[in-house]
Amino acid sequence: MRRLPQALARADTLDASIQKTVAHESAYKQVTGRAQYLDDIPEPPDMLHLATVGAAQACALIENIELDAARCAPGVVDIITQADIPGSPDVSPVFHGDLLLAGECVDYVGQPVVAIAATTLEAARRACAQVKVRYRAQQPRLTVQEALNQKDLVLPSQTLRCGDVDTAIANADHQLRGDIYLRGQEHFYLEGQISIAVPNEDGGVRVYSSSQHPAEVQKLVAQVLAVPVHRVQAEVRRMGGAFGGKESQAAALACMAAVFAVRNQRPVKYRMPRRDDMTQTGKRHDFWNQYRVGFDTNGVIRGVEMDLAALCGHSADLSDGVVDRAMFHADNAYFYPAARISGHRCRTNTVSNTAFRGFGGPQGMVAAEAMLDDIARALGADPLDVRKRNLYRGNRNTTPYGQTLDEELLPLIEQLEQTADYRNRRQQIRAFNASSTRIKKGVALTPVKFGISFTSKHLNQAGALLHIYADGSIHVSHGGTEMGQGLHTKIAQIVARGFGVDLARVHVAATATDQVPNASPTAASAGTDLNGMAALNAVNTLKQRLLEHAAETYRADIEQIGIRDDQCWIGERAIPFNELVKGAYLARVSLSATGFYRTPGIGYDRAAARGRPFLYFATGAAASEVEVDLYTGEYRVTRVDILHDVGDSLNPAIDLGQVEGGFVQGMGWLTSEELLWNERGQILSDSPANYKIPTAGDVPEVFNVDFFNRSHLAGKADEETVFRSKAVGEPPLMLAISVWCALRDACASLANYRFSPPLGVPATPEQVYFCARAAKDFAEAQS
């Protein structure tokens, strides 16, 4: 059973171009197979294909590389090592250390050492098998604990502080300690990493990339080729999924293809087979989280100390921001009067981990929710009651980093508590568990408070380019990328609403660096907020020109002129929009404009660990119910109720899809997606055969999703986002923490809910089985 949001039911009463359920702009093409992804582009007969030789050691010096046999292999056209790269071999997004090809040493199993171009992908891969690399192996470092013990960090640790933590914890009625290990997550996008490079006559190249950050692709390709940035153009029409995995790590494929394209003056495609992709590209970071908390007899927190240690891999990549965001979200929705939250960026001889939907926020939130559950079990209280007592509210509204919250979560949580019938179901579950020996049920209701903005201030900017053609059709380019989330659809709706014209007039072009320069990545859930405002800025510029033209042409007061319903209204007189545009063209009015937007009012002082890193917070809550088989550890998610605040939704259907998809992806991370490495540092979960992502069969049997009705907030001064909408890309993923908490709840029933059994992430059936055993052992010891 699936209940749709009320917003969908009332969509027909809303404006024709925005706040309405309209189909994704590529939906028909995708369903019919007409949507063109990079691997669908017809290949010219002279196209080359790439493959790489991956390191066989996790930590070793390279003593010798033998290439002769590979050079003679059928179909081979070119082979390069690091020495053949014309510019810089470093393709790091921010800090140094990410090499296009390894040089004197290798730092993880699978690191590219040699690249081969051949007439077919199969020929390139066969040639790779002929390359012989001799290593001098060294001892690899593979775990967070090893890195912490050796103080081996990719970047210095950071700490957030507020209040006197040690005194607050010492003087509290109760104290607890705990820790939890959270494994990473493979992005497993449907379209793997891929790039095509086509050389041009000026020594430059045009790169077609499946990337969330075309501007970075452009910059790094230029660096690798040792040419000015203007010699490189990067273009992205659409991606078949990304989830953060194509924010920084897509650039290496583009760089590799570009090097071969320029060397050989031939188009080059580099498409990673799935196993190579899973071996050579980063994941969500593992985190080892530890906490110490003091609280009173009602479960109200007095002081918290947390250490969040991330497994970053061999280089920094985007780990600095990931750990920062984990620290920013270690409070989730709860007020800490005194806190000391430290983040550690641990170096290991594994692939460099990277952005993943939530960008560290989920790992910080799980620590908070585990701690709140532990407090409730220690007191014998309902976890929801403990959560509600600790929510930000009133004058308890300042985060550990000094940002104040203007909006409370309690109304949203209490609405979900009622609509999900939480209290009655809690009683029914207790009664069921008391009489059932094999099957135990669990339920949990958890909130989400997720900050919206890039924590690196300079990334909070966006540009757009807008043309109106003489026939009245509108062409929009912006810096955001489409990865299936409906960004282009929303931008088209924003432009149509801004002008007051039919949506059919608007076309959103492929994202290209020669149309909109220096664009930020499409990430941090800010794609619509940033690019929508930039497009609206361009709309307002052109609309003003059209209104001024109409006022002059028709000798009317500009204040009496408006554009709506695809027509220009001058009093009671209606002039078709295309007629207005044609007249403006004949009158030599410019019908092209750029737009720009930078997020106001944000800033974070990293040295002082204080500031306002986020423009606003996206909020929501989920109540999840599970059934656990104690004999096997297997479980089912039987019901989920979600209430999420999307503001004034730009497109309810797209937002619904984001909420549902984000939740299921988060559930996969927390329950079934287990990344494993062996003692040599070689990844074991490297294919769909040994890595379990959620399927349709894992979707909850009852899945109720609704959008929070914000009418009670009328008159409240919200932040000025695009038509008062809220970001919806990442926050829903963290709603799935309720499933993990519900599994713990089911196991805790074996100890009369007075013990929080240990449960790692992912909570596989094996983990759940041992979690239940621990609760049972505790109960027997107490008796």
Side-chain angles (χ1 to χ4, degrees):
M1 187 181 85
R2 179 172 175 264
R3 190 174 74 209
L4 300 181
Q6 295 176 3
L8 292 183
R10 62 175 183 266
D12 58 349
T13 67
L14 300 176
D15 185 270
S17 59
I18 199 163
Q19 296 173 319
K20 181 180 177 182
T21 294
V22 299
H24 189 291
E25 52 92 23
S26 294
Y28 180 79
K29 300 172 191 174
Q30 289 164 330
V31 170
T32 59
R34 289 172 52 203
Q36 192 175 69
Y37 295 88
L38 289 188
D39 210 28
D40 298 322
I41 297 174
E43 298 176 1
D46 61 341
M47 176 170 274
L48 299 178
H49 299 263
L50 300 188
T52 58
V53 177
Q57 299 286 333
C59 183
L61 299 175
I62 297 175
E63 293 189 330
N64 184 59
I65 302 175
E66 178 53 59
L67 300 174
D68 289 345
R71 293 189 194 281
C72 298
V76 170
V77 173
D78 197 8
I79 298 179
I80 67 169
T81 62
Q82 188 190 95
D84 299 306
I85 296 171
S88 171
D90 197 303
V91 292
S92 303
V94 184
F95 305 97
H96 295 296
D98 296 292
L99 300 177
L100 189 59
L101 292 170
E104 297 178 353
C105 62
V106 295
D107 293 308
Y108 66 95
V109 173
Q111 183 176 9
V113 178
V114 176
I116 298 179
T119 52
T120 66
L121 177 60
E122 292 73 18
R125 291 177 63 79
R126 284 195 297 268
C128 285
Q130 302 298 314
V131 175
K132 306 299 181 185
V133 183
R134 188 170 71 247
Y135 302 97
R136 187 192 308 164
Q138 299 178 324
Q139 183 63 37
R141 188 165 294 138
L142 302 175
T143 69
V144 169
Q145 292 84 350
E146 288 173 340
L148 288 175
N149 289 338
Q150 297 296 321
K151 295 183 172 57
D152 191 3
L153 308 174
V154 295
L155 291 165
S157 297
Q158 301 287 330
T159 300
L160 305 176
R161 294 182 176 86
C162 67
D164 186 344
V165 177
D166 295 321
T167 300
I169 294 176
N171 292 342
D173 298 325
H174 305 276
Q175 296 84 27
L176 278 178
R177 291 179 180 269
D179 75 310
I180 178 173
Y181 194 89
L182 300 91
R183 291 194 180 276
Q185 185 178 19
E186 167 63 39
H187 298 89
F188 221 97
Y189 19 65
L190 289 177
E191 178 198 35
Q193 298 277 10
I194 183 172
S195 188
I196 296 172
V198 180
N200 61 38
E201 62 184 15
D202 299 317
V205 66
R206 189 169 191 93
V207 176
Y208 300 88
S209 180
S210 186
S211 168
Q212 296 171 243
H213 199 177
E216 185 171 81
V217 168
Q218 178 190 36
K219 180 192 75 171
L220 292 175
V221 167
Q223 287 180 189
V224 165
L225 294 178
V227 299
V229 172
H230 70 249
R231 293 281 182 90
V232 178
Q233 292 82 42
E235 181 176 319
V236 178
R237 178 63 190 94
R238 61 173 60 86
M239 289 167 274
F243 312 118
K246 297 176 180 178
E247 181 176 347
S248 67
Q249 302 211 350
L253 284 85
C255 291
M256 196 83 79
V259 169
F260 280 103
V262 173
R263 277 170 62 93
N264 296 278
Q265 286 299 293
R266 292 171 66 170
V268 175
K269 178 190 287 188
Y270 185 11
R271 178 180 63 80
M272 278 188 173
R274 181 67 66 176
R275 179 168 277 109
D276 288 0
D277 198 332
M278 295 183 73
T279 300
Q280 295 183 19
T281 64
K283 330 292 180 191
R284 185 187 295 282
H285 291 63
D286 286 29
F287 266 75
W288 182 36
N289 296 335
Q290 303 172 79
Y291 78 83
R292 183 169 65 100
V293 61
F295 54 97
D296 66 17
T297 54
N298 291 315
V300 177
I301 292 170
R302 299 304 185 195
V304 175
E305 181 181 28
M306 280 191 183
D307 281 280
L308 313 176
L311 190 154
C312 299
H314 75 98
S315 68
D317 192 79
L318 298 174
S319 294
D320 210 29
V322 167
V323 177
D324 276 355
R325 190 170 280 264
M327 295 162 63
F328 290 145
H329 290 81
D331 59 338
N332 192 13
Y334 311 113
F335 176 67
Y336 298 161
R340 182 166 58 241
I341 302 170
S342 299
H344 311 288
R345 297 140 174 87
C346 302
R347 185 195 307 274
T348 53
N349 289 114
T350 53
V351 64
S352 187
N353 287 322
T354 190
F356 200 122
R357 197 174 189 174
F359 204 76
Q363 293 95 316
M365 286 187 191
V366 171
E369 296 304 332
M371 183 176 69
L372 268 292
D373 271 349
D374 293 351
I375 292 171
R377 302 296 179 225
L379 297 174
D382 188 314
L384 179 57
D385 291 331
V386 173
R387 287 184 164 93
K388 288 168 67 174
R389 290 168 194 156
N390 283 286
L391 288 174
Y392 284 105
R393 69 176 76 181
N395 59 2
R396 292 163 50 91
N397 67 340
T398 305
T399 67
Y401 47 90
Q403 179 163 350
T404 57
L405 275 71
D406 298 323
E407 187 176 320
E408 294 186 1
L409 275 82
L410 186 60
L412 186 152
I413 290 171
E414 290 188 333
Q415 182 178 328
L416 180 63
E417 182 181 350
Q418 294 299 317
T419 57
D421 196 23
Y422 175 85
R423 299 295 175 179
N424 287 334
R425 288 166 59 201
R426 168 63 75 184
Q427 291 179 359
Q428 293 166 6
I429 286 171
R430 279 180 171 266
F432 175 89
N433 288 340
S435 61
S436 176
T437 57
R438 176 168 181 170
I439 304 298
K440 298 295 182 183
K441 293 184 177 182
V443 65
L445 193 160
T446 61
V448 166
K449 172 190 68 67
F450 188 78
I452 304 299
S453 291
F454 287 99
T455 53
S456 295
K457 184 177 178 179
H458 73 279
L459 294 178
N460 294 286
Q461 59 176 303
L465 175 64
L466 198 149
H467 307 310
I468 307 176
Y469 295 105
D471 67 347
S473 61
I474 301 169
H475 179 101
V476 186
S477 297
H478 63 93
T481 56
E482 176 62 55
M483 60 196 88
Q485 84 279 36
L487 176 60
H488 286 346
T489 308
K490 287 186 174 182
I491 296 295
Q493 289 180 274
I494 290 165
V495 170
R497 166 69 180 272
F499 273 121
V501 301
D502 288 345
L503 183 60
R505 288 194 180 275
V506 183
H507 171 71
V508 180
T511 308
T513 56
D514 50 358
Q515 300 296 311
V516 178
N518 308 317
S520 296
T522 306
S525 302
T528 301
D529 284 4
L530 292 174
N531 296 286
M533 290 295 267
L536 198 57
N537 177 244
V539 167
N540 291 337
T541 298
L542 289 181
K543 188 173 184 179
Q544 182 65 24
R545 292 178 193 167
L546 291 175
L547 293 176
E548 290 173 355
H549 163 73
E552 180 179 346
T553 302
Y554 300 103
R555 302 183 183 281
D557 185 346
I558 195 170
E559 299 299 327
Q560 304 302 314
I561 303 175
I563 302 174
R564 64 182 185 278
D565 301 327
D566 210 45
Q567 299 186 86
C568 177
W569 292 85
I570 304 172
E572 297 300 318
R573 181 182 179 185
I575 299 167
F577 181 76
N578 57 316
E579 184 177 320
L580 173 68
V581 170
K582 183 177 180 181
Y585 163 71
L586 293 174
R588 298 183 298 175
V589 175
S590 172
L591 296 176
S592 178
T594 59
F596 184 76
Y597 174 75
R598 60 180 182 180
T599 308
I602 58 172
Y604 179 69
D605 185 338
R606 202 137 186 271
R610 307 291 288 177
R612 187 190 181 201
F614 306 116
L615 180 64
Y616 66 92
F617 293 93
T619 57
S624 295
E625 183 177 326
V626 300
E627 290 182 356
V628 174
D629 186 330
L630 299 180
Y631 292 5
T632 64
E634 294 177 291
Y635 51 82
R636 294 185 305 137
V637 181
T638 55
R639 176 174 171 179
V640 171
D641 296 83
I642 291 173
L643 184 62
H644 198 73
D645 186 1
V646 296
D648 294 332
S649 175
L650 299 177
N651 187 317
I654 285 177
D655 288 348
L656 171 65
Q658 289 294 289
V659 171
E660 291 181 335
F663 179 89
V664 172
Q665 187 175 49
M667 191 172 69
W669 167 54
L670 291 160
T671 61
S672 67
E673 299 184 42
E674 190 172 27
L675 284 170
L676 296 172
W677 280 260
N678 64 18
E679 67 282 354
R680 295 179 48 251
Q682 181 178 11
I683 189 169
L684 301 176
S685 39
D686 61 355
S687 77
N690 48 36
Y691 185 78
K692 185 181 183 301
I693 64 171
T695 66
D698 296 301
V699 175
E701 297 173 18
V702 178
F703 198 7
N704 301 321
V705 180
D706 210 346
F707 296 150
F708 184 49
N709 184 348
R710 310 181 85 243
S711 60
H712 71 285
L713 300 175
K716 183 181 181 300
D718 289 339
E719 292 300 333
E720 188 175 345
T721 56
V722 187
F723 300 120
R724 303 298 183 185
S725 63
K726 276 192 169 185
V728 72
E730 292 169 292
L733 184 139
M734 287 144 279
L735 296 169
I737 296 173
S738 58
V739 172
W740 183 82
C741 290
L743 290 169
R744 283 186 97 197
D745 184 71
C747 295
S749 68
L750 291 163
N752 196 29
Y753 301 100
R754 295 307 301 264
F755 172 65
S756 269
L759 182 62
V761 170
T764 60
E766 294 89 345
Q767 285 255 14
V768 172
Y769 174 82
F770 289 113
C771 178
R773 284 286 303 269
K776 186 176 180 181
D777 291 345
F778 174 86
E780 291 174 352
Q782 294 299 305
S783 63

